[in-house]
Amino acid sequence: AQKVTQAQTEISVVEKEDVTLDCVYETRDTTYYLFWYKQPPSGELVFLIRRNSFDEQNEISGRYSWNFQKSTSSFNFTITASQVVDSAVYFCALSEFRETGKLIFGQGTTLQVKP
Amino acid sequence: DTGVSQDPRHKITKRGQNVTFRCDPISEHNRLYWYRQTLGQGPEFLTYFQNEAQLEKSRLLSDRFSAERPKGSFSTLEIQRTEQGDSAMYLCASSLERPGQGRNIQYFGAGTRLSVL
């Protein structure tokens, strides 16, 4: 069965701290895609990254970095030197290649960055 | 603005009334998805279209729900005889899927927040 687990419901940090958001997934498919989305208070889901199951290279984009480990079925997201504008709900999602393309989301992690 | 747009942004209705939401995808995107998000949860898949064909419906989509995508452009989601349990954010997303190119990115609209009184 497909499942995404984000065990951290809420995280609160002080500005400039580093923070890591955890994501663990379950799938029986050998080809799949993982995504991270950000949902600010306005409600719109903003795409952050897509990773396919054959590419285990870590990725860095500015203050954001992602660590994909197939051995532990994890796809964690780190924000370095957090800022108040990073405050939002972050969702990890899974899409199996054999499926229709629908996204299976985790429950989300609410990140609060305090000044 | 060339993103996904949804209308209305907010809808308040009384139990038993019918409501209809509209989604305009990114131009030329051939796939359109509907999701539902309740408070404190991640979005859950409802249904999707490949062009004008509705190809999958979730078990969450009861008989009171119907979706259309005439001409493969905008889509509508109608809920008949609304119930309080239908209160949620309804999100629309679109993507451009090409054979052999793997799974593409879904871009989301800002959603329609439905409150059933």
Side-chain angles (χ1 to χ4, degrees):
Chain A
Q2 321 155 28
K3 187 178 180 181
V4 176
T5 302
Q6 295 180 254
Q8 305 150 307
T9 305
E10 291 184 25
I11 300 176
S12 182
V13 299
V14 177
E15 205 168 19
K16 297 184 183 177
E17 285 185 17
D18 299 347
V19 57
T20 295
L21 310 181
D22 298 334
C23 172
V24 175
Y25 61 92
E26 295 177 29
T27 176
R28 284 180 287 193
D29 210 345
T30 54
T31 304
Y32 52 88
Y33 296 80
L34 296 165
F35 301 79
W36 276 94
Y37 283 86
K38 174 182 179 180
Q39 189 174 42
S42 60
E44 183 173 347
L45 282 161
V46 178
F47 166 76
L48 295 178
I49 189 172
R50 173 190 57 184
R51 173 69 65 208
N52 73 54
S53 52
F54 298 108
D55 182 2
E56 288 193 71
Q57 277 191 334
N58 292 330
E59 183 158 339
I60 299 174
S61 176
R63 297 184 296 106
Y64 295 170
S65 62
W66 290 269
N67 181 265
F68 176 32
Q69 294 199 344
K70 284 179 76 171
S71 60
T72 56
S73 297
S74 65
F75 186 42
N76 296 337
F77 173 32
T78 297
I79 302 174
T80 303
S82 59
Q83 299 176 2
V84 172
V85 293
D86 295 328
S87 297
V89 183
Y90 290 86
F91 290 99
C92 180
L94 165 72
S95 176
E96 294 181 336
F97 186 70
R98 293 182 194 176
E99 286 286 342
T100 57
K102 65 185 178 188
L103 294 171
I104 306 299
F105 285 88
Q107 289 191 304
T109 297
T110 300
L111 174 65
Q112 184 181 30
V113 181
K114 299 178 181 177
Chain B
D1 184 14
T2 56
V4 177
S5 63
Q6 293 187 245
D7 183 68
R9 290 294 311 277
H10 303 275
K11 179 71 176 178
I12 300 174
T13 190
K14 293 182 179 178
R15 190 175 54 183
Q17 297 294 306
N18 299 345
V19 294
T20 300
F21 311 140
R22 177 180 171 124
C23 171
D24 286 90
I26 293 172
S27 179
E28 298 180 355
H29 276 193
N30 51 6
R31 285 206 180 174
L32 188 148
Y33 298 82
W34 285 99
Y35 294 84
R36 183 173 72 183
Q37 185 179 20
T38 53
L39 203 60
Q41 303 295 315
E44 295 175 289
F45 169 78
L46 291 178
T47 188
Y48 95 99
F49 293 83
Q50 174 83 20
N51 298 312
E52 66 275 9
Q54 187 175 17
L55 297 184
E56 184 179 349
K57 291 192 273 188
S58 159
R59 285 172 292 178
L60 291 175
L61 215 64
S62 76
D63 291 344
R64 297 183 296 105
F65 288 69
S66 63
E68 294 182 342
R69 192 184 182 196
K71 303 179 183 178
S73 55
F74 72 92
S75 175
T76 58
L77 178 67
E78 181 183 15
I79 308 174
Q80 296 183 328
R81 305 182 302 282
T82 52
E83 301 173 356
Q84 287 185 328
D86 296 331
S87 295
M89 173 82 88
Y90 290 85
L91 293 163
C92 175
S94 71
S95 68
L96 178 61
E97 301 290 332
R98 294 194 176 104
Q101 290 194 1
R103 186 66 65 233
N104 220 326
I105 300 163
Q106 290 183 30
Y107 294 94
F108 283 79
T112 294
R113 184 170 295 283
L114 173 66
S115 297
V116 182
L117 305 178

